[in-house]
Amino acid sequence: MSEALIVIDVQKDFCPGGALAVPKGDDIVPGINQLMTEYGAVILTQDWHPAGHSSFASSHPDAAPMTLTQMPYGPQVLWPDHCIQGSDGANFHPDLAVDRADLIIRKGFNPKVDSYSAFFENDKITPTGLEGYLRTRGLQKLTFVGLATDFCVNYSAVDAVQLGFEVTVRTDLCRGIDMDGSLPAALEEMAEAGITFAA
Ligand code: VGL
Ligand code: ZN
């Protein structure tokens, strides 16, 4: 059975110079391109928000970026505007081997709900469709790489393991935001969930 490589949000806005830059986010691109050659299936995710998205601090009066707010579905970090549909920042890193991808799954397009995970929106209920795609292709073993370790990689990998997939995270090919200790917390959460780390 072939295994899938899932590349999370390797987009310009998450790389140095971007709107929500992850430190050294672009360092992982050559290694990801190399790893793609070893997998039977490659899937990319693309953070893809409408302008004025509810996860943007700019959509909330008096809210500063990187602070927490309460949404109907639970706590939500308010981010700088990023990955706006059709903007240059929403594009993949120019060196990422996007032609190798079988599927590009976009997320965060619902104006009222953010979506860190590749599987569910942040309400934890609304599916993106990725689970069905993987199951119908018989892809049970998943490896995750990308940005950011402590947000979209973490949420995607934990959802995957809870859905019954066999999950590895290549920590050497991820980079984190590390907001208030979010990176060590994410690594602990992933380990407790039963995720295997490799580097
Ligand atoms: C992400 C914050 C907001 C991520 C996406 O890709 O980790 N983080 N949107
Ligand atoms: Zn986002």
Side-chain angles (χ1 to χ4, degrees):
M1 188 189 292
S2 74
E3 299 185 18
L5 178 65
I6 303 184
V7 181
I8 303 290
D9 299 359
V10 180
Q11 291 166 259
K12 286 176 140 185
D13 268 345
F14 296 123
C15 291
L20 179 38
V22 179
K24 299 187 188 294
D26 54 346
D27 277 13
I28 59 177
V29 172
I32 291 174
N33 289 344
Q34 174 60 36
L35 194 61
M36 284 177 178
T37 66
E38 297 172 22
Y39 282 78
V42 175
I43 292 146
L44 310 180
T45 69
Q46 189 172 26
D47 210 41
W48 194 249
H49 300 303
H53 192 259
S54 58
S55 75
F56 296 168
S58 62
S59 303
H60 301 257
D62 304 324
M66 318 301 270
T67 59
L68 212 57
T69 194
Q70 210 54 41
M71 294 288 209
Y73 54 82
Q76 168 72 47
V77 179
L78 293 175
W79 303 105
D81 291 19
H82 66 278
C83 297
I84 294 174
Q85 297 172 0
S87 70
D88 186 50
N91 285 324
F92 291 106
H93 186 285
D95 297 336
L96 187 70
V98 292
D99 289 353
R100 177 64 185 80
D102 302 335
L103 175 76
I104 297 172
I105 189 141
R106 288 175 168 165
K107 61 184 181 61
F109 49 75
N110 179 346
K112 292 192 166 59
V113 186
D114 204 2
S115 189
Y116 295 151
S117 168
F119 292 93
F120 296 102
E121 294 185 353
N122 285 8
D123 63 5
K124 307 264 180 208
I125 302 166
T126 311
T128 62
L130 180 58
E131 179 192 1
Y133 177 88
L134 294 169
R135 294 216 196 279
T136 50
R137 280 195 67 187
L139 298 162
Q140 168 63 19
K141 286 189 174 182
L142 312 179
T143 297
F144 288 87
V145 296
L147 306 170
T149 321
D150 36 353
F151 288 93
C152 291
V153 174
N154 176 31
Y155 277 68
S156 299
V158 168
D159 279 350
V161 100
Q162 286 174 354
L163 288 168
F165 293 97
E166 224 175 295
V167 180
T168 300
V169 171
R170 277 286 299 259
T171 48
D172 58 325
L173 295 175
C174 297
R175 291 291 180 273
I177 295 172
D178 203 13
M179 175 186 161
D180 303 327
S182 57
L183 185 55
L187 293 170
E188 196 180 314
E189 191 190 345
M190 287 192 277
E192 272 172 20
I195 289 160
T196 303
F197 294 124

PDB file of all heavy atoms in Angstrom, residues 9 14 20 47-49 53 55-56 79 82-83 107-108 114-116 152, ligand 2:
ATOM      1  N   ASP A   9       0.862  23.837   4.305  1.00  0.00           N
ATOM      2  CA  ASP A   9       0.938  25.318   4.241  1.00  0.00           C
ATOM      3  C   ASP A   9       2.336  25.899   3.980  1.00  0.00           C
ATOM      4  O   ASP A   9       2.735  26.873   4.647  1.00  0.00           O
ATOM      5  CB  ASP A   9       0.373  25.941   5.531  1.00  0.00           C
ATOM      6  CG  ASP A   9      -1.098  25.605   5.768  1.00  0.00           C
ATOM      7  OD1 ASP A   9      -1.696  24.914   4.933  1.00  0.00           O
ATOM      8  OD2 ASP A   9      -1.641  26.042   6.800  1.00  0.00           O
ATOM      9  N   PHE A  14       3.922  32.372   5.208  1.00  0.00           N
ATOM     10  CA  PHE A  14       4.487  31.696   6.378  1.00  0.00           C
ATOM     11  C   PHE A  14       6.007  31.612   6.312  1.00  0.00           C
ATOM     12  O   PHE A  14       6.629  30.990   7.183  1.00  0.00           O
ATOM     13  CB  PHE A  14       3.879  30.299   6.542  1.00  0.00           C
ATOM     14  CG  PHE A  14       2.400  30.309   6.815  1.00  0.00           C
ATOM     15  CD1 PHE A  14       1.515  29.630   5.992  1.00  0.00           C
ATOM     16  CD2 PHE A  14       1.885  31.012   7.896  1.00  0.00           C
ATOM     17  CE1 PHE A  14       0.158  29.645   6.233  1.00  0.00           C
ATOM     18  CE2 PHE A  14       0.517  31.038   8.146  1.00  0.00           C
ATOM     19  CZ  PHE A  14      -0.348  30.347   7.315  1.00  0.00           C
ATOM     20  N   LEU A  20       2.833  36.366   8.026  1.00  0.00           N
ATOM     21  CA  LEU A  20       2.814  35.597   9.292  1.00  0.00           C
ATOM     22  C   LEU A  20       4.005  34.645   9.246  1.00  0.00           C
ATOM     23  O   LEU A  20       3.868  33.425   9.234  1.00  0.00           O
ATOM     24  CB  LEU A  20       1.468  34.863   9.431  1.00  0.00           C
ATOM     25  CG  LEU A  20       1.164  33.962  10.618  1.00  0.00           C
ATOM     26  CD1 LEU A  20       1.722  34.492  11.932  1.00  0.00           C
ATOM     27  CD2 LEU A  20      -0.331  33.766  10.752  1.00  0.00           C
ATOM     28  N   ASP A  47      -3.492  27.300   3.036  1.00  0.00           N
ATOM     29  CA  ASP A  47      -4.312  28.187   3.863  1.00  0.00           C
ATOM     30  C   ASP A  47      -4.909  29.235   2.913  1.00  0.00           C
ATOM     31  O   ASP A  47      -4.169  29.857   2.136  1.00  0.00           O
ATOM     32  CB  ASP A  47      -3.396  28.835   4.916  1.00  0.00           C
ATOM     33  CG  ASP A  47      -4.096  29.174   6.218  1.00  0.00           C
ATOM     34  OD1 ASP A  47      -4.920  28.368   6.686  1.00  0.00           O
ATOM     35  OD2 ASP A  47      -3.807  30.256   6.779  1.00  0.00           O
ATOM     36  N   TRP A  48      -6.228  29.463   2.981  1.00  0.00           N
ATOM     37  CA  TRP A  48      -6.907  30.170   1.875  1.00  0.00           C
ATOM     38  C   TRP A  48      -8.099  30.936   2.424  1.00  0.00           C
ATOM     39  O   TRP A  48      -9.235  30.465   2.400  1.00  0.00           O
ATOM     40  CB  TRP A  48      -7.327  29.098   0.849  1.00  0.00           C
ATOM     41  CG  TRP A  48      -7.749  29.559  -0.498  1.00  0.00           C
ATOM     42  CD1 TRP A  48      -9.013  29.500  -1.025  1.00  0.00           C
ATOM     43  CD2 TRP A  48      -6.911  30.103  -1.540  1.00  0.00           C
ATOM     44  NE1 TRP A  48      -9.005  29.971  -2.323  1.00  0.00           N
ATOM     45  CE2 TRP A  48      -7.731  30.340  -2.663  1.00  0.00           C
ATOM     46  CE3 TRP A  48      -5.549  30.401  -1.629  1.00  0.00           C
ATOM     47  CZ2 TRP A  48      -7.243  30.884  -3.851  1.00  0.00           C
ATOM     48  CZ3 TRP A  48      -5.057  30.936  -2.811  1.00  0.00           C
ATOM     49  CH2 TRP A  48      -5.904  31.162  -3.903  1.00  0.00           C
ATOM     50  N   HIS A  49      -7.795  32.136   2.958  1.00  0.00           N
ATOM     51  CA  HIS A  49      -8.820  32.904   3.657  1.00  0.00           C
ATOM     52  C   HIS A  49      -9.417  34.008   2.784  1.00  0.00           C
ATOM     53  O   HIS A  49      -8.675  34.724   2.088  1.00  0.00           O
ATOM     54  CB  HIS A  49      -8.216  33.603   4.878  1.00  0.00           C
ATOM     55  CG  HIS A  49      -7.616  32.678   5.887  1.00  0.00           C
ATOM     56  ND1 HIS A  49      -8.314  31.666   6.489  1.00  0.00           N
ATOM     57  CD2 HIS A  49      -6.349  32.618   6.426  1.00  0.00           C
ATOM     58  CE1 HIS A  49      -7.528  31.035   7.346  1.00  0.00           C
ATOM     59  NE2 HIS A  49      -6.325  31.579   7.323  1.00  0.00           N
ATOM     60  N   HIS A  53     -11.403  37.790   7.023  1.00  0.00           N
ATOM     61  CA  HIS A  53     -11.672  36.532   7.736  1.00  0.00           C
ATOM     62  C   HIS A  53     -11.754  36.758   9.242  1.00  0.00           C
ATOM     63  O   HIS A  53     -11.020  37.592   9.799  1.00  0.00           O
ATOM     64  CB  HIS A  53     -10.564  35.517   7.416  1.00  0.00           C
ATOM     65  CG  HIS A  53     -10.896  34.132   7.870  1.00  0.00           C
ATOM     66  ND1 HIS A  53     -10.384  33.592   9.021  1.00  0.00           N
ATOM     67  CD2 HIS A  53     -11.712  33.190   7.340  1.00  0.00           C
ATOM     68  CE1 HIS A  53     -10.872  32.369   9.170  1.00  0.00           C
ATOM     69  NE2 HIS A  53     -11.668  32.101   8.155  1.00  0.00           N
ATOM     70  N   SER A  55     -10.610  35.142  11.637  1.00  0.00           N
ATOM     71  CA  SER A  55      -9.391  34.850  12.408  1.00  0.00           C
ATOM     72  C   SER A  55      -8.382  35.997  12.334  1.00  0.00           C
ATOM     73  O   SER A  55      -7.318  35.912  12.951  1.00  0.00           O
ATOM     74  CB  SER A  55      -8.718  33.570  11.898  1.00  0.00           C
ATOM     75  OG  SER A  55      -8.058  33.799  10.656  1.00  0.00           O
ATOM     76  N   PHE A  56      -8.695  37.040  11.588  1.00  0.00           N
ATOM     77  CA  PHE A  56      -7.771  38.174  11.467  1.00  0.00           C
ATOM     78  C   PHE A  56      -8.052  39.189  12.576  1.00  0.00           C
ATOM     79  O   PHE A  56      -9.216  39.590  12.782  1.00  0.00           O
ATOM     80  CB  PHE A  56      -7.930  38.886  10.109  1.00  0.00           C
ATOM     81  CG  PHE A  56      -7.591  38.061   8.893  1.00  0.00           C
ATOM     82  CD1 PHE A  56      -7.930  38.518   7.614  1.00  0.00           C
ATOM     83  CD2 PHE A  56      -6.911  36.851   8.991  1.00  0.00           C
ATOM     84  CE1 PHE A  56      -7.620  37.779   6.482  1.00  0.00           C
ATOM     85  CE2 PHE A  56      -6.601  36.102   7.857  1.00  0.00           C
ATOM     86  CZ  PHE A  56      -6.961  36.572   6.601  1.00  0.00           C
ATOM     87  N   TRP A  79      -4.860  36.486  14.205  1.00  0.00           N
ATOM     88  CA  TRP A  79      -3.626  36.559  13.417  1.00  0.00           C
ATOM     89  C   TRP A  79      -3.553  37.844  12.608  1.00  0.00           C
ATOM     90  O   TRP A  79      -4.580  38.454  12.320  1.00  0.00           O
ATOM     91  CB  TRP A  79      -3.572  35.357  12.448  1.00  0.00           C
ATOM     92  CG  TRP A  79      -3.654  34.039  13.130  1.00  0.00           C
ATOM     93  CD1 TRP A  79      -4.732  33.198  13.178  1.00  0.00           C
ATOM     94  CD2 TRP A  79      -2.623  33.394  13.882  1.00  0.00           C
ATOM     95  NE1 TRP A  79      -4.438  32.074  13.907  1.00  0.00           N
ATOM     96  CE2 TRP A  79      -3.153  32.166  14.351  1.00  0.00           C
ATOM     97  CE3 TRP A  79      -1.298  33.720  14.208  1.00  0.00           C
ATOM     98  CZ2 TRP A  79      -2.411  31.273  15.125  1.00  0.00           C
ATOM     99  CZ3 TRP A  79      -0.561  32.830  14.981  1.00  0.00           C
ATOM    100  CH2 TRP A  79      -1.107  31.632  15.426  1.00  0.00           C
ATOM    101  N   HIS A  82      -3.394  37.206   6.543  1.00  0.00           N
ATOM    102  CA  HIS A  82      -2.442  36.320   5.853  1.00  0.00           C
ATOM    103  C   HIS A  82      -3.193  35.398   4.901  1.00  0.00           C
ATOM    104  O   HIS A  82      -4.379  35.139   5.090  1.00  0.00           O
ATOM    105  CB  HIS A  82      -1.650  35.475   6.872  1.00  0.00           C
ATOM    106  CG  HIS A  82      -2.524  34.514   7.617  1.00  0.00           C
ATOM    107  ND1 HIS A  82      -3.272  34.890   8.712  1.00  0.00           N
ATOM    108  CD2 HIS A  82      -2.795  33.202   7.410  1.00  0.00           C
ATOM    109  CE1 HIS A  82      -3.969  33.852   9.141  1.00  0.00           C
ATOM    110  NE2 HIS A  82      -3.703  32.819   8.365  1.00  0.00           N
ATOM    111  N   CYS A  83      -2.475  34.916   3.906  1.00  0.00           N
ATOM    112  CA  CYS A  83      -2.997  33.913   2.966  1.00  0.00           C
ATOM    113  C   CYS A  83      -4.387  34.266   2.447  1.00  0.00           C
ATOM    114  O   CYS A  83      -5.307  33.438   2.443  1.00  0.00           O
ATOM    115  CB  CYS A  83      -2.982  32.519   3.584  1.00  0.00           C
ATOM    116  SG  CYS A  83      -1.311  31.960   3.972  1.00  0.00           S
ATOM    117  N   LYS A 107      -8.050  25.300   2.771  1.00  0.00           N
ATOM    118  CA  LYS A 107      -8.758  25.332   4.059  1.00  0.00           C
ATOM    119  C   LYS A 107      -8.766  26.753   4.599  1.00  0.00           C
ATOM    120  O   LYS A 107      -7.927  27.570   4.220  1.00  0.00           O
ATOM    121  CB  LYS A 107      -8.085  24.374   5.047  1.00  0.00           C
ATOM    122  CG  LYS A 107      -6.643  24.737   5.321  1.00  0.00           C
ATOM    123  CD  LYS A 107      -5.974  23.743   6.220  1.00  0.00           C
ATOM    124  CE  LYS A 107      -4.553  24.121   6.513  1.00  0.00           C
ATOM    125  NZ  LYS A 107      -4.392  25.420   7.190  1.00  0.00           N
ATOM    126  N   GLY A 108      -9.741  27.025   5.468  1.00  0.00           N
ATOM    127  CA  GLY A 108      -9.872  28.362   6.051  1.00  0.00           C
ATOM    128  C   GLY A 108     -10.702  29.292   5.193  1.00  0.00           C
ATOM    129  O   GLY A 108     -10.679  30.508   5.391  1.00  0.00           O
ATOM    130  N   ASP A 114     -12.083  29.366  11.467  1.00  0.00           N
ATOM    131  CA  ASP A 114     -10.718  29.100  11.001  1.00  0.00           C
ATOM    132  C   ASP A 114     -10.551  27.600  10.787  1.00  0.00           C
ATOM    133  O   ASP A 114     -11.389  26.790  11.213  1.00  0.00           O
ATOM    134  CB  ASP A 114      -9.704  29.624  12.031  1.00  0.00           C
ATOM    135  CG  ASP A 114      -8.357  29.913  11.398  1.00  0.00           C
ATOM    136  OD1 ASP A 114      -8.208  29.741  10.168  1.00  0.00           O
ATOM    137  OD2 ASP A 114      -7.425  30.315  12.132  1.00  0.00           O
ATOM    138  N   SER A 115      -9.488  27.212  10.118  1.00  0.00           N
ATOM    139  CA  SER A 115      -9.220  25.785   9.895  1.00  0.00           C
ATOM    140  C   SER A 115      -7.727  25.540   9.943  1.00  0.00           C
ATOM    141  O   SER A 115      -7.034  25.714   8.948  1.00  0.00           O
ATOM    142  CB  SER A 115      -9.804  25.349   8.549  1.00  0.00           C
ATOM    143  OG  SER A 115      -9.736  23.942   8.421  1.00  0.00           O
ATOM    144  N   TYR A 116      -7.233  25.151  11.102  1.00  0.00           N
ATOM    145  CA  TYR A 116      -5.820  24.790  11.204  1.00  0.00           C
ATOM    146  C   TYR A 116      -5.590  23.415  10.594  1.00  0.00           C
ATOM    147  O   TYR A 116      -4.603  23.161   9.919  1.00  0.00           O
ATOM    148  CB  TYR A 116      -5.377  24.743  12.666  1.00  0.00           C
ATOM    149  CG  TYR A 116      -5.404  26.046  13.421  1.00  0.00           C
ATOM    150  CD1 TYR A 116      -5.626  26.052  14.800  1.00  0.00           C
ATOM    151  CD2 TYR A 116      -5.176  27.263  12.787  1.00  0.00           C
ATOM    152  CE1 TYR A 116      -5.628  27.226  15.527  1.00  0.00           C
ATOM    153  CE2 TYR A 116      -5.180  28.449  13.506  1.00  0.00           C
ATOM    154  CZ  TYR A 116      -5.406  28.425  14.883  1.00  0.00           C
ATOM    155  OH  TYR A 116      -5.412  29.581  15.601  1.00  0.00           O
ATOM    156  N   CYS A 152      -0.896  24.352  12.375  1.00  0.00           N
ATOM    157  CA  CYS A 152      -1.555  23.515  11.369  1.00  0.00           C
ATOM    158  C   CYS A 152      -0.984  22.097  11.283  1.00  0.00           C
ATOM    159  O   CYS A 152      -1.734  21.152  11.045  1.00  0.00           O
ATOM    160  CB  CYS A 152      -1.548  24.230  10.026  1.00  0.00           C
ATOM    161  SG  CYS A 152      -2.639  25.681  10.073  1.00  0.00           S
TER     162      CYS A 152
HETATM  163 ZN    ZN B   2      -4.615  30.974   8.474  1.00  0.00          ZN
END
